[in-house]
Amino acid sequence: MTVKRKGPKYDKIIDAAVSVIAEHGYHQSQISKIAREAGVADGTIYLYFKNKEDLLISLFQEKMGHFIDTTKNEIEQKHSVEDKLLTLIEMHFKQLSVDHELAIVTQLELRQTNRALRAKIGEVLMRYLDLVDEIIINGIDQKVFHPDIDIRIVRQMIFGTIDETTTSWVMNDHRYDLTALAQSVHDLLINGFRYRPS
Amino acid sequence: MTVKRKGPKYDKIIDAAVSVIAEHGYHQSQISKIAREAGVADGTIYLYFKNKEDLLISLFQEKMGHFIDTTKNEIEQKHSVEDKLLTLIEMHFKQLSVDHELAIVTQLELRQTNRALRAKIGEVLMRYLDLVDEIIINGIDQKVFHPDIDIRIVRQMIFGTIDETTTSWVMNDHRYDLTALAQSVHDLLINGFRYRPS
Amino acid sequence: MTVKRKGPKYDKIIDAAVSVIAEHGYHQSQISKIAREAGVADGTIYLYFKNKEDLLISLFQEKMGHFIDTTKNEIEQKHSVEDKLLTLIEMHFKQLSVDHELAIVTQLELRQTNRALRAKIGEVLMRYLDLVDEIIINGIDQKVFHPDIDIRIVRQMIFGTIDETTTSWVMNDHRYDLTALAQSVHDLLINGFRYRPS
Amino acid sequence: MTVKRKGPKYDKIIDAAVSVIAEHGYHQSQISKIAREAGVADGTIYLYFKNKEDLLISLFQEKMGHFIDTTKNEIEQKHSVEDKLLTLIEMHFKQLSVDHELAIVTQLELRQTNRALRAKIGEVLMRYLDLVDEIIINGIDQKVFHPDIDIRIVRQMIFGTIDETTTSWVMNDHRYDLTALAQSVHDLLINGFRYRPS
DNA sequence: GATGAATGAGCGTTCATTCAT
DNA sequence: TATGAATGAACGCTCATTCAT
């Protein structure tokens, strides 16, 4: 029996899952708890998702899919590579800043999953990393970035820095303004932290 | 009832845990499997560790403790800040390159744990981050690093980049030589990826 | 709320149940699967049957009722007791031979049901056993069967033999011609298997 | 992880399963109920059996294995084929008469199982049917049974009759003495019910 | 009449931990 | 010290049945 992948309850269940996982942690987020939060019966979840893993994957796909689409859109509005990179960072920080629950779920909780689930999550992330790669290649072409840089390493540097910055912010209970750091992160990535007295 | 924190079996159990987790994954690493690998009875593990979480924390403390001590030692041998940073990166890559099992466990498997465990892991990491901070401050003092940089961000940039680079390498089944990347990573961190034609 | 016990959908649902049970087995024959096969909605089944058990009982009553009526009719055409018994066996074998699905359902699948259901099935079978009893009494009266035989045991012998023969045939995937065995079964029942050289 | 297939608890659990199934029926015999009856924890059952199906198969193998061995032994004591057949019937009736619970379980409850389980049960029964075949062949050789009989049909006649007789006795709540019927069943099988006035 | 989305009770199995030996 | 048999709480998932439309 196949499952319905849309309808108001589909979204309601995914949002409930985000809330429950953010509040109780991944391992304390039983189907019954999510169902209760969504205001549906346990069995109803199985009308929309094949199983619990499918729900979590769908959650990530829906939320990150939207996240990536929005980011991509904004980046395309910018013309200079520097603006594009700044926008990538800003959008990342902004979108997680306005949704603390989602930030907790993506930065902390969804990482404690088994290999199979993480593989699926990796597939979704691929699209994000492609976005990063595009900017890097663009930067090289426009002679803004050094022609000899290793794209893979630069990608890991950009993503690793953004991700670590975000995770630290989440682990510090979102105590400071994450978006305010975007410009600094951007400048450090592009210029490094070497002192170059003029 | 307190537990013994040393003796030959203490180490044997920790090493068995690393092996089992690397091979079977965190969620398939039951106490009984670890005990069998270590050549002891299930109950014996509880003579040396308070519970499973304590075993995992101890594992991380022992392995990372040694990892950090060695790194610290090497860094102290270096005089220039640039050499210190390069050494930090090199040691990180080198130590995980020679122990694939440990790399899998620290980069992938031990991250799928609950909040409490990750908090403890964070405490151990603190010592590592202090090491990073020391280098940064040193760099600023010696006017090698820009005086206005935000130490916290730079720390997250360094750690985030190294960590992401290592994780990617592990997820690609250690297919390439990680240590060969140290110099590039180091240069990119310090100089950024901007093109500066002379 | 009472249910309708007739209409085209009533028969359609029963036939669908036979098909589904024969193909997927009793425990894999969910109401939704039967409804799909019958081309009706799940809820529609409950307009014609009180519940799943009622559907199964009705199935047995309809199919076996017809089975018994036909058998009874044929037997009445015969005059000698020996012919009547032979006809009973032949009709049993013939009717299940032409409907493999029904054979599977009555010989194998419908037996894996709970006590309550089997009690109901037993009631239907009663009419069949009465038919057998009639032949036996007839045989005794006509001095064809021994006057001292225990009717109950002979009935169980006749039914047990026919039933076991049929079940074996079904379990062997209807690989041989069941009807061809009727005469032998008949002779063995009446004469036993003792060797009586003349 | 493999399971222990013996020890006092192994037998205790099997006996508890027989009791619970006899009393509550197959579908109402949850593992927790069987464990409670056996005086062990639910998890203990899984130290001795792979899963619930394995427990039921083991139950059948243990009980029927013993049943068949005993029957075989007794038959070998007899010399004439007629005595052997009578002994087969007597032993069947006697062994189920002294253990009403086992009779209920084998005649009624264990038949409501899925195909996989019944296949395993069939394998055990094979040994019993081999015993029957042996007697039949012996009877033909010794010219006690008619040389032209179809062994397969006779086997089904013998087993079908014994089985149906026993099942009827169980369904009538063991209200009469089953063993008293052995001689009649035996005579009817061998001689049939035809009247042969001398 | 007919639909089919929604319900929610029920259960086999795992595994960290204990404790008698 | 060391053992390993025994424990029992916890949970994802199924499916017969209902009822608003």
Side-chain angles (χ1 to χ4, degrees):
Chain A
M1 183 57 183
T2 182
V3 295
K4 303 171 50 179
R5 292 219 167 280
K6 50 184 179 156
K9 295 211 170 142
Y10 177 83
D11 294 326
K12 217 191 263 183
I13 291 166
I14 284 186
D15 289 339
V18 174
S19 276
V20 170
I21 294 172
E23 184 179 358
H24 298 96
Y26 176 74
H27 289 291
Q28 279 308 304
S29 297
Q30 300 85 348
I31 283 290
S32 61
K33 208 178 269 176
I34 295 171
R36 204 179 317 128
E37 175 79 20
V40 301
D42 292 18
T44 303
I45 289 182
Y46 293 86
L47 296 178
Y48 293 90
F49 304 93
K50 202 149 54 68
N51 49 38
K52 190 176 182 181
E53 183 174 309
D54 183 38
L55 163 57
L56 296 173
I57 292 170
S58 302
L59 180 165
F60 196 77
Q61 285 173 334
E62 293 284 339
K63 296 299 182 184
M64 283 311 286
H66 181 256
F67 180 104
I68 295 171
D69 289 344
T70 306
T71 303
K72 194 169 189 171
N73 251 331
E74 286 294 316
I75 289 175
E76 281 167 0
Q77 316 278 324
K78 307 296 176 178
H79 294 93
S80 79
V81 168
E82 301 207 358
D83 277 358
K84 282 177 191 286
L85 180 60
L86 180 59
T87 301
L88 179 86
I89 300 167
E90 281 180 342
M91 289 303 295
H92 198 124
F93 289 174
K94 195 184 296 178
Q95 291 183 83
L96 292 181
S97 285
V98 298
D99 193 344
H100 286 195
E101 287 188 342
L102 183 62
I104 293 172
V105 171
T106 61
Q107 297 298 315
L108 302 184
E109 302 303 336
L110 237 44
R111 310 206 168 182
Q112 350 174 0
T113 55
N114 59 41
R115 288 176 183 186
L117 187 46
R118 263 179 303 144
K120 288 284 188 177
I121 286 179
E123 285 175 25
V124 179
L125 270 185
M126 213 64 91
R127 278 186 56 215
Y128 187 77
L129 298 179
D130 286 345
L131 215 57
V132 178
D133 278 10
E134 235 174 83
I135 296 177
I136 299 171
I137 291 167
N138 210 235
I140 296 174
D141 287 347
Q142 295 185 18
K143 301 195 195 304
V144 177
F145 296 163
H146 199 286
D148 296 340
I149 56 175
D150 180 328
I151 295 181
R152 193 184 51 192
I153 297 183
V154 171
R155 179 211 307 140
Q156 288 163 2
M157 183 170 157
I158 295 175
F159 182 75
T161 300
I162 296 178
D163 190 57
E164 180 65 23
T165 312
T166 312
T167 300
S168 287
W169 169 76
V170 173
M171 292 191 76
N172 279 292
D173 295 324
H174 327 92
R175 269 200 286 270
Y176 47 86
D177 181 6
L178 180 62
T179 58
L181 307 181
Q183 186 69 55
S184 297
V185 168
H186 171 261
D187 293 349
L188 279 165
L189 281 171
I190 289 191
N191 299 317
F193 34 84
R194 181 190 298 282
Y195 183 39
R196 296 187 187 80
S198 48
Chain B
M1 176 66 178
T2 181
V3 296
K4 298 183 49 179
R5 293 227 163 274
K6 48 182 178 162
K9 292 200 176 162
Y10 177 82
D11 293 327
K12 217 191 262 182
I13 291 167
I14 283 185
D15 288 338
V18 174
S19 275
V20 170
I21 294 173
E23 183 180 0
H24 298 97
Y26 176 72
H27 289 290
Q28 279 307 306
S29 298
Q30 298 85 350
I31 284 289
S32 60
K33 206 178 270 176
I34 295 171
R36 205 178 320 130
E37 174 81 20
V40 302
D42 292 17
T44 303
I45 288 182
Y46 291 86
L47 297 176
Y48 292 89
F49 304 93
K50 202 149 53 68
N51 49 37
K52 190 177 183 180
E53 183 173 310
D54 183 38
L55 162 58
L56 296 174
I57 293 170
S58 302
L59 180 166
F60 197 77
Q61 285 173 333
E62 293 286 337
K63 295 298 180 184
M64 284 311 286
H66 180 256
F67 180 105
I68 295 171
D69 290 345
T70 306
T71 304
K72 195 168 188 172
N73 253 329
E74 286 294 315
I75 288 175
E76 280 167 1
Q77 315 278 324
K78 307 295 174 179
H79 296 93
S80 80
V81 169
E82 300 207 359
D83 277 357
K84 283 178 190 285
L85 180 59
L86 180 59
T87 302
L88 178 85
I89 300 167
E90 281 178 344
M91 290 303 296
H92 197 124
F93 288 174
K94 196 183 295 178
Q95 291 184 84
L96 293 181
S97 285
V98 299
D99 193 343
H100 286 194
E101 286 189 343
L102 184 62
I104 293 172
V105 171
T106 60
Q107 297 301 127
L108 300 185
E109 302 302 336
L110 238 44
R111 309 209 168 180
Q112 339 175 10
T113 55
N114 59 40
R115 289 174 185 189
L117 187 46
R118 264 177 301 138
K120 289 284 188 174
I121 286 177
E123 286 176 22
V124 179
L125 271 185
M126 212 65 91
R127 277 187 56 215
Y128 187 77
L129 298 178
D130 286 346
L131 215 57
V132 177
D133 278 9
E134 234 173 84
I135 296 177
I136 299 171
I137 291 167
N138 209 238
I140 296 174
D141 289 348
Q142 294 184 17
K143 298 197 197 307
V144 177
F145 296 162
H146 199 287
D148 295 341
I149 56 174
D150 180 329
I151 295 180
R152 191 186 49 191
I153 296 182
V154 171
R155 178 211 307 141
Q156 289 162 1
M157 184 170 156
I158 295 174
F159 182 75
T161 300
I162 296 178
D163 189 58
E164 180 66 21
T165 311
T166 312
T167 300
S168 287
W169 170 76
V170 174
M171 293 190 76
N172 279 291
D173 294 324
H174 326 93
R175 268 200 286 271
Y176 45 88
D177 180 8
L178 180 62
T179 57
L181 306 181
Q183 186 70 53
S184 297
V185 169
H186 170 261
D187 293 350
L188 280 165
L189 283 171
I190 289 192
N191 298 318
F193 33 85
R194 181 190 297 284
Y195 184 38
R196 294 188 188 81
S198 49
Chain C
M1 176 63 180
T2 180
V3 295
K4 296 182 50 179
R5 292 225 165 272
K6 49 181 177 163
K9 292 198 175 164
Y10 177 82
D11 293 327
K12 217 190 265 182
I13 292 166
I14 284 185
D15 288 339
V18 174
S19 275
V20 169
I21 294 173
E23 183 178 2
H24 298 96
Y26 176 73
H27 289 290
Q28 278 309 304
S29 298
Q30 299 85 350
I31 284 288
S32 62
K33 205 179 271 175
I34 294 171
R36 206 181 317 130
E37 174 80 19
V40 302
D42 292 18
T44 304
I45 288 182
Y46 290 85
L47 298 176
Y48 292 89
F49 304 93
K50 202 149 55 68
N51 49 38
K52 190 178 183 178
E53 184 174 307
D54 183 37
L55 163 57
L56 296 174
I57 293 169
S58 301
L59 179 166
F60 197 77
Q61 285 173 334
E62 293 285 339
K63 296 298 180 184
M64 282 311 286
H66 181 256
F67 181 103
I68 295 170
D69 289 345
T70 307
T71 305
K72 195 169 188 171
N73 253 328
E74 286 294 318
I75 288 175
E76 281 166 2
Q77 315 278 324
K78 307 294 175 181
H79 294 95
S80 79
V81 169
E82 300 207 358
D83 277 356
K84 282 177 190 285
L85 181 59
L86 179 60
T87 301
L88 179 86
I89 299 168
E90 281 178 343
M91 290 304 296
H92 198 123
F93 288 174
K94 196 183 295 178
Q95 291 184 83
L96 292 181
S97 286
V98 299
D99 193 344
H100 286 195
E101 286 189 342
L102 184 62
I104 293 171
V105 171
T106 59
Q107 297 302 128
L108 300 185
E109 302 302 336
L110 238 43
R111 311 210 166 180
Q112 341 175 9
T113 55
N114 59 41
R115 288 173 185 192
L117 188 46
R118 264 177 302 137
K120 289 284 190 177
I121 286 177
E123 285 176 23
V124 178
L125 270 186
M126 213 64 94
R127 277 186 57 215
Y128 187 76
L129 297 179
D130 286 346
L131 214 56
V132 177
D133 279 8
E134 234 174 83
I135 296 177
I136 299 171
I137 291 167
N138 209 235
I140 296 174
D141 288 348
Q142 293 185 18
K143 300 197 194 308
V144 176
F145 296 164
H146 199 288
D148 295 341
I149 56 174
D150 181 326
I151 295 180
R152 192 185 51 192
I153 296 182
V154 171
R155 179 211 306 141
Q156 288 163 0
M157 181 170 156
I158 295 174
F159 182 75
T161 300
I162 296 178
D163 190 57
E164 180 65 21
T165 312
T166 312
T167 300
S168 287
W169 170 76
V170 173
M171 293 190 76
N172 279 292
D173 295 323
H174 326 94
R175 268 199 285 271
Y176 46 87
D177 181 7
L178 180 61
T179 56
L181 306 182
Q183 185 69 53
S184 298
V185 169
H186 170 262
D187 293 350
L188 280 166
L189 283 171
I190 289 191
N191 299 318
F193 33 86
R194 181 191 298 282
Y195 184 38
R196 294 188 190 80
S198 48
Chain D
M1 184 56 184
T2 182
V3 295
K4 303 170 48 180
R5 292 218 168 280
K6 49 184 180 156
K9 295 209 170 144
Y10 177 82
D11 294 325
K12 217 192 262 182
I13 291 166
I14 283 186
D15 289 338
V18 174
S19 276
V20 170
I21 293 173
E23 184 179 359
H24 298 96
Y26 176 73
H27 289 289
Q28 279 308 304
S29 297
Q30 299 86 348
I31 284 289
S32 60
K33 209 179 269 175
I34 295 171
R36 204 178 318 127
E37 174 79 20
V40 301
D42 291 18
T44 303
I45 289 183
Y46 292 87
L47 296 178
Y48 294 90
F49 304 93
K50 202 150 55 68
N51 50 37
K52 191 177 181 179
E53 183 174 310
D54 184 37
L55 163 57
L56 296 173
I57 292 170
S58 302
L59 178 166
F60 196 76
Q61 286 174 333
E62 293 283 340
K63 295 299 182 184
M64 283 310 287
H66 181 255
F67 180 103
I68 295 171
D69 289 344
T70 308
T71 304
K72 196 170 188 169
N73 251 331
E74 286 294 317
I75 288 175
E76 281 167 0
Q77 316 277 324
K78 308 296 176 179
H79 294 92
S80 78
V81 169
E82 300 207 358
D83 276 358
K84 283 177 191 285
L85 180 60
L86 179 60
T87 302
L88 179 86
I89 300 167
E90 280 177 344
M91 289 304 296
H92 198 124
F93 289 173
K94 195 185 293 179
Q95 291 184 84
L96 292 181
S97 285
V98 299
D99 193 343
H100 286 196
E101 287 187 342
L102 183 62
I104 293 172
V105 170
T106 60
Q107 296 298 315
L108 301 184
E109 302 302 336
L110 237 43
R111 310 207 169 182
Q112 352 175 359
T113 56
N114 59 41
R115 288 176 183 188
L117 187 46
R118 265 179 302 144
K120 287 284 188 179
I121 286 177
E123 285 175 25
V124 180
L125 270 186
M126 212 65 91
R127 278 186 56 215
Y128 188 75
L129 298 178
D130 286 346
L131 216 56
V132 177
D133 278 9
E134 235 174 84
I135 296 177
I136 299 171
I137 291 166
N138 210 233
I140 295 174
D141 288 347
Q142 295 185 16
K143 300 194 194 307
V144 177
F145 297 164
H146 198 287
D148 296 340
I149 55 174
D150 181 327
I151 294 181
R152 192 185 50 192
I153 297 182
V154 170
R155 179 211 305 140
Q156 289 162 2
M157 182 171 155
I158 295 174
F159 183 74
T161 300
I162 296 178
D163 190 56
E164 180 66 21
T165 312
T166 312
T167 300
S168 287
W169 169 75
V170 173
M171 294 191 76
N172 279 293
D173 294 324
H174 327 92
R175 268 199 287 270
Y176 47 87
D177 181 7
L178 179 62
T179 56
L181 306 182
Q183 186 69 54
S184 297
V185 169
H186 170 262
D187 294 349
L188 280 165
L189 282 171
I190 289 191
N191 298 318
F193 33 86
R194 180 190 298 282
Y195 183 38
R196 293 188 190 80
S198 49

